[in-house]
Amino acid sequence: MMLDVDRDQVLAYRAAAQGLDRSTDDPAKLGVLDLGVQHSAAHTARLALSARLPRLPDGDADPFADEGAFAVLWSVRGAPHLHRRADLAHLARALWPRGEADAHSRLAAERKPLKESGIGALEAFAAAAKALRSVVTRPMPKGEVSAAVTAKLPDAYSYDCRSCKARHVYGGLLQQVGLPAGVRQEFDTSPPVLAPLEKRPAVPTRPAGTADVVRAYLRLHGPATAADAAGYFGTSQTELRHSWPDGLVEVRADGRKCWLPEEDLAALRGATAPEHVRLLPPLDPFLQSRDRDLLVPDPARQKEVWKILGNPGAVLVRGDVAGVWRAKTAARKRLAVTVRGFGRIGKADRALVAEEADRMAGVRGLAEAAVTYET
């Protein structure tokens, strides 16, 4: 008989599967790193790890301090992610398009000019990856890299930029091939500085192990549908089905027919609402699940959590998104955190929010935090 679970149980399962229970103090063992943790200049990867580790990732405990173990690269959907270096060769092959239709699904503005020039989408992936790899042989500013790659590729790979009156390779394509090209970003540089990965493997010619990353999505963000997983990887459901993993069980989650790895079924059955409060940064893995109607059922509140530009962070109370937060540096090395609750956040939970805000301040190198609430 198919297991039927409600929204609360799904969220409780995901909170534990994604390490929000702080059950490990080793950053490398965090399950969310199986897919990578999206990173931005706003400390998002650091804050995401801080939300999952018993010890504050600061100083010697900062995962970014160990560049031999971790790297930031353009990977899933072309977005910058923090990854374990040990995973990169496998991920480069697993995320490589399986064919022309898959490659086409991952492109956007580049589709029309490439097609009009008779350039296939998969051909474009390979050419752009090889060009980027040949250019980045030393640390280089991103702008310099873009100009050099543009010069190496036919005109169909680039566009005229009105603001700077120059021609640029399409940024979406460039970022889609960062991982297979073996190009990483140096930590904490603005503007971004790109550098070659040490001992980088050759650009893939075919995918391998894609079912492994699909399984990782279903384990971390499940129970989920094939459409959810396809959206996460930036491809079509039809293409993803070719890499659908074995050993899954069908689960009805909040009324939807979903899938979960069989070995995780017991954890889902036993999931109970956590007692903790967490301040999740924008782009946190918990917010990357594609079933936003389950994460935040109210459409108006969805618009507060996921914006076109400038997402806030999310306040997670007992596994549920209970509000949003924003922060800025204030006087005397203090982090000023403003919380907007979706309902009343009680006194006990506010005390836990304050503790989490102080952790955030430590990640940013600040002494303490002050929390205020908007109505």
Side-chain angles (χ1 to χ4, degrees):
M1 185 175 179
M2 185 190 307
L3 179 63
D4 195 336
V5 294
D6 62 15
R7 173 178 176 271
D8 291 343
Q9 197 164 354
V10 172
L11 295 180
Y13 166 80
R14 290 183 188 175
Q18 295 184 23
L20 288 166
D21 56 359
R22 294 180 179 159
S23 57
T24 179
D25 60 2
D26 183 351
K29 293 181 179 178
L30 288 171
V32 288
L33 286 170
D34 292 348
L35 293 175
V37 175
Q38 194 165 339
H39 181 56
S40 77
H43 304 272
T44 52
R46 277 190 174 93
L47 293 173
L49 296 187
S50 172
R52 290 163 171 80
L53 295 171
R55 291 187 303 133
L56 190 66
D58 189 22
D60 293 338
D62 184 350
F64 283 76
D66 186 0
E67 295 195 19
F70 299 95
V72 172
L73 305 92
W74 291 320
S75 60
V76 182
R77 303 180 309 278
H81 282 70
L82 176 72
H83 289 284
R84 308 180 192 98
R85 283 181 179 255
D87 296 341
L88 294 178
H90 172 70
L91 283 171
R93 296 189 298 271
L95 296 175
W96 188 253
R98 67 174 298 274
E100 184 65 18
D102 191 10
H104 185 268
S105 294
R106 304 190 196 192
L107 299 179
E110 310 91 341
R111 292 175 183 170
K112 184 177 179 181
L114 289 171
K115 183 177 181 180
E116 290 175 347
S117 298
I119 300 170
L122 191 58
E123 177 188 353
F125 266 77
K130 291 173 183 175
L132 179 59
R133 181 186 180 91
S134 69
V135 165
V136 182
T137 58
R138 57 178 175 79
M140 300 170 63
K142 179 185 173 185
E144 186 179 331
V145 170
S146 176
V149 172
T150 302
K152 280 184 170 288
L153 294 170
D155 279 351
Y157 287 80
S158 55
Y159 68 99
D160 291 317
C161 178
R162 294 180 180 177
S163 60
C164 64
K165 302 188 185 309
R167 195 162 180 85
H168 299 296
V169 63
Y170 283 101
L173 177 61
L174 188 70
Q175 294 187 201
Q176 287 274 5
V177 301
L179 173 59
V183 171
R184 64 176 176 84
Q185 295 182 32
E186 293 200 336
F187 293 117
D188 296 333
T189 57
S190 183
V193 173
L194 306 182
L197 274 174
E198 298 74 14
K199 299 180 182 179
R200 54 186 176 178
V203 174
T205 57
R206 61 181 62 87
T210 308
D212 296 337
V213 296
V214 176
R215 176 179 288 276
Y217 179 86
L218 295 173
R219 183 180 71 252
L220 294 167
H221 299 272
T225 67
D228 294 335
Y232 179 84
F233 291 109
T235 188
S236 69
Q237 185 175 341
T238 299
E239 288 301 311
L240 187 85
R241 283 290 188 186
H242 293 285
S243 302
W244 198 241
D246 296 327
L248 302 179
V249 291
E250 188 176 330
V251 175
R252 186 162 295 281
D254 201 38
R256 297 195 313 158
K257 178 181 174 181
C258 296
W259 301 92
L260 188 76
E262 187 173 13
E263 62 269 23
D264 298 309
L265 192 59
L268 175 63
R269 277 198 181 102
T272 57
E275 294 299 318
H276 55 63
V277 169
R278 301 288 184 260
L279 295 183
L280 305 182
L283 310 176
D284 186 88
F286 193 85
L287 304 174
Q288 296 283 7
S289 298
R290 283 329 194 231
D291 50 357
R292 291 180 175 179
D293 287 343
L294 185 142
L295 287 175
V296 181
D298 185 333
R301 291 175 176 175
Q302 286 180 20
K303 292 178 182 179
E304 292 192 54
V305 177
W306 296 285
K307 295 180 175 294
I308 296 174
L309 292 173
N311 285 347
V315 182
L316 198 69
V317 177
R318 287 178 288 284
D320 201 0
V321 177
V324 295
W325 63 264
R326 294 188 181 276
K328 61 181 180 180
T329 303
R332 300 178 183 176
K333 297 197 71 175
R334 176 177 291 187
L335 185 68
V337 180
T338 302
V339 172
R340 177 177 173 80
F342 292 157
R344 182 177 179 274
I345 298 178
K347 183 177 180 180
D349 289 334
R350 288 190 178 204
L352 296 176
V353 167
E355 291 179 11
E356 295 300 302
D358 282 339
R359 287 174 63 93
M360 266 199 324
V363 173
R364 296 189 177 195
L366 301 173
E368 61 180 354
V371 182
T372 57
Y373 288 83
E374 290 183 346
T375 56

